[in-house]
Amino acid sequence: MKHLNKLVALLMLLGLSSQAQDSDNTWAISFGANAVDGGRVSSASSIKDQFSQYFDSKQYWSILPSVSTLTVSKYVGDNFSFGVTGSVNKITKLVGDRIYDSVSNTSTYPVTNPGDLSYYAVDGVVKYSFMSLIKSNVIDPSAHIGGGYTWFGDASAGTINGGFGLTFWLSKQVGLSLSSTYKHSFDDSRNPNFDVPSHMQHSAGLTFKFGAKDADGDGIYDRLDACPENAGPKEFNGCPDTDGDKIIDKDDACPEVAGLAAFNGCPDTDGDGVMDKDDACSEVAGVKALAGCPDADGDGIADKADKCPTVKGPKENGGCPWPDRDGDKVLDKDDKCPDVAGTVANQGCPEVTEDAIKKLNEYAKTILFDSGKASFQKQTFPVLQSITAILKEYPSAKFSIEGHTDNSGKEATNQKLSEERAAAVKGYLVENGVAADRLTSAGFGQTKPIDSNKTKAGKANNRRVEVKLVK
């Protein structure tokens, strides 16, 4: 065994110059035990005799009970690998030349012990694997050829080799390997220490593949790893998925929070179709148009900003419906008379009726002034109050107060007096709550009589105040 260390060193040196084991693990090293068939395959004269006792290990095999073979190999592509094998053994069973018995018509092959004959061999091996052809990840049959040099005691010779092998891969990188190789020597004789007979060599051992790079240690080789510097599962070709949402981090817009593919990995907690980072109400389902916030009444105003979240209303009124205090179906915002029921046609204000105009003028005819003056007689104030009350019933209506006189006196004087009396009525009404912009006053003097100025009664009718609706 003292030569084994030298042999291992030599094989390692030779192996470094050979090619790859497979496309991932570029190198392989195998070690185990070998058995040398003592030459029956070469001493027999017929193929039948050569292989009839192929597995007769007790009679023909020399086995060294220790690690006695070492192979270093490298893959070169297309299922081929090249390696160098070194082996040591002790030949305790050497098969002699055939002895033929003519009486019994049988042949025998004597086996002798040449005295613990030393055995050393270094072989180059070109191997072809059939593993991909049979589409298996475990069973790896192979064939190999090559050549080498063998020391048989004091004798040595080159050999041409060929054989078959079988490896059972226990894991991605560890396998149990078996092989059987025929080594053909060109020596004609079979003398110990003088010749190297052609022979069979069998081996069994463990094979370890190595050399593949896995920088992130995720069990996926860099060559196949889409993210070779960041550990990730096989299902994502080695790329990490930190939040476990089945979207790899490099494609995940929210890599630390589980989300949906529709949102590039970002979450939508309330399931309203708006991702959380854009959702102003991420815990409550809402509508997209309102940044994910709910709108219970469907008025287009988010509940949190809606003063009336359960009743539809316009944005201008804070989401509440416009009021209609007087119930006239004209909203207060459009109602010029929000506290008095009116008509839509009159913008929510009541329309002045003919009866109201008739009543106003009946009252107006009874307004009494001091003679030749614009001051009211005392008994006129209840009449003025009645006129005021009627005008307040129509808060948007506008009226004209017109003054008239009879033809007594000068025309200019009468004109002035009519104007002053109309203005006095207007002034009273304004002082008692009728908006000034609703009233105008005018005097017509004696120009518009309604009766004859030849009688006392006619003159009394012409001295009058009229109230007219301004349309």
Side-chain angles (χ1 to χ4, degrees):
M1 294 298 293
K2 65 182 180 179
H3 301 289
L4 183 59
N5 291 337
K6 294 180 181 179
L7 181 60
V8 170
L10 175 63
L11 290 174
M12 290 297 289
L13 180 62
L14 292 173
L16 291 175
S17 65
S18 54
Q19 307 290 319
Q21 178 62 25
D22 63 36
S23 57
D24 292 316
N25 290 284
T26 57
W27 292 91
I29 184 169
S30 303
F31 60 85
N34 78 90
V36 176
D37 186 327
R40 175 181 173 83
V41 70
S42 59
S43 63
S45 59
S46 67
I47 293 177
K48 177 182 177 181
D49 286 346
Q50 286 176 333
F51 295 99
S52 62
Q53 294 179 315
Y54 182 83
F55 294 106
D56 193 345
S57 60
K58 283 188 177 182
Q59 185 172 356
Y60 298 109
W61 291 12
S62 297
I63 302 174
L64 191 65
S66 66
V67 175
S68 56
T69 186
L70 178 69
T71 300
V72 177
S73 61
K74 200 175 185 189
Y75 186 70
V76 295
D78 295 328
N79 301 320
F80 284 98
S81 61
F82 175 73
V84 177
T85 300
S87 55
V88 298
N89 211 320
K90 292 288 185 179
I91 304 302
T92 58
K93 299 171 183 177
L94 184 63
V95 181
D97 291 327
R98 181 182 72 136
I99 300 174
Y100 177 71
D101 185 348
S102 59
V103 176
S104 61
N105 195 27
T106 59
S107 298
T108 60
Y109 300 90
V111 178
T112 61
N113 186 339
D116 292 334
L117 197 68
S118 63
Y119 178 94
Y120 298 96
V122 176
D123 300 290
V125 181
V126 177
K127 183 176 74 172
Y128 182 83
S129 171
F130 297 96
M131 189 175 183
S132 63
L133 299 180
I134 66 172
K135 302 184 184 305
S136 172
N137 292 323
V138 177
I139 301 174
D140 184 6
S142 62
H144 57 269
I145 59 173
Y149 205 81
T150 301
W151 290 266
F152 225 75
D154 293 334
S156 63
T159 61
I160 295 176
N161 309 330
F164 297 93
L166 182 63
T167 300
F168 298 94
W169 291 107
L170 308 177
S171 69
K172 188 182 293 186
Q173 293 174 272
V174 180
L176 174 64
S177 298
L178 307 172
S179 70
S180 185
T181 304
Y182 171 69
K183 294 184 172 183
H184 181 77
S185 168
F186 295 94
D187 286 346
D188 294 330
S189 59
R190 309 176 60 76
N191 298 317
N193 292 311
F194 289 97
D195 301 296
V196 176
S198 297
H199 57 281
M200 296 290 297
Q201 185 176 26
H202 315 291
S203 65
L206 294 175
T207 296
F208 297 88
K209 294 192 291 187
F210 61 95
K213 293 182 179 180
D214 180 14
D216 53 19
D218 59 4
I220 302 172
Y221 301 137
D222 290 357
R223 183 180 67 85
L224 303 173
D225 197 329
C227 301
E229 297 183 0
N230 298 290
K234 186 176 181 180
E235 62 178 310
F236 298 131
N237 293 326
C239 288
D241 175 21
T242 302
D243 53 21
D245 59 3
K246 306 298 183 184
I247 301 170
I248 59 177
D249 290 356
K250 69 177 184 177
D251 297 331
D252 197 329
C254 302
E256 297 183 357
V257 183
L260 305 173
F263 297 129
N264 293 326
C266 288
D268 174 18
T269 302
D270 54 21
D272 59 3
V274 181
M275 66 179 104
D276 288 357
K277 69 177 183 178
D278 298 329
D279 197 330
C281 304
S282 59
E283 302 295 327
V284 183
V287 294
K288 190 173 183 179
L290 298 176
C293 288
D295 176 17
D297 55 17
D299 59 4
I301 303 169
D303 290 352
K304 66 179 183 178
D306 197 331
K307 293 180 180 179
C308 302
T310 60
V311 183
K312 285 186 177 182
K315 185 177 182 180
E316 294 76 13
N317 200 40
C320 292
W322 291 108
D324 177 16
R325 293 197 300 271
D326 54 19
D328 60 2
K329 297 184 180 180
V330 180
L331 300 178
D332 288 358
K333 71 181 183 70
D334 302 319
D335 198 332
K336 291 188 176 181
C337 304
D339 296 310
V340 180
T343 65
V344 175
N346 201 35
Q347 296 180 299
C349 290
E351 303 223 17
V352 182
T353 64
E354 291 183 4
D355 286 343
I357 294 297
K358 182 179 180 180
K359 188 177 291 186
L360 282 171
N361 283 296
E362 287 177 353
Y363 281 127
K365 288 178 181 180
T366 63
I367 296 174
L368 299 176
F369 295 94
D370 293 325
S371 180
K373 297 180 180 180
S375 56
F376 300 112
Q377 293 184 16
K378 184 176 181 180
Q379 62 268 36
T380 291
F381 288 107
V383 173
L384 292 171
Q385 290 173 0
S386 296
I387 293 173
T388 301
I390 293 173
L391 295 184
K392 286 183 178 181
E393 291 179 9
Y394 304 96
S396 68
K398 293 184 178 183
F399 297 91
S400 173
I401 311 299
E402 299 180 356
H404 300 271
T405 66
D406 57 23
N407 61 354
S408 299
K410 295 181 179 180
E411 185 176 349
T413 301
N414 289 335
Q415 177 64 35
K416 182 179 178 183
L417 180 61
S418 68
E419 291 175 357
E420 290 176 348
R421 285 180 173 178
V425 174
K426 176 185 175 182
Y428 180 89
L429 295 174
V430 171
E431 288 176 4
N432 286 270
V434 179
D437 62 354
R438 293 177 54 206
L439 301 174
T440 59
S441 65
F444 295 94
Q446 62 188 46
T447 60
K448 292 185 178 184
I450 58 172
D451 205 345
S452 173
N453 281 312
K454 293 180 179 181
T455 64
K456 185 176 180 180
K459 286 180 178 288
N461 287 335
N462 288 333
R463 296 190 301 271
R464 69 194 186 277
V465 172
E466 293 181 353
V467 180
K468 293 184 177 181
L469 178 67
V470 178
K471 296 184 179 179

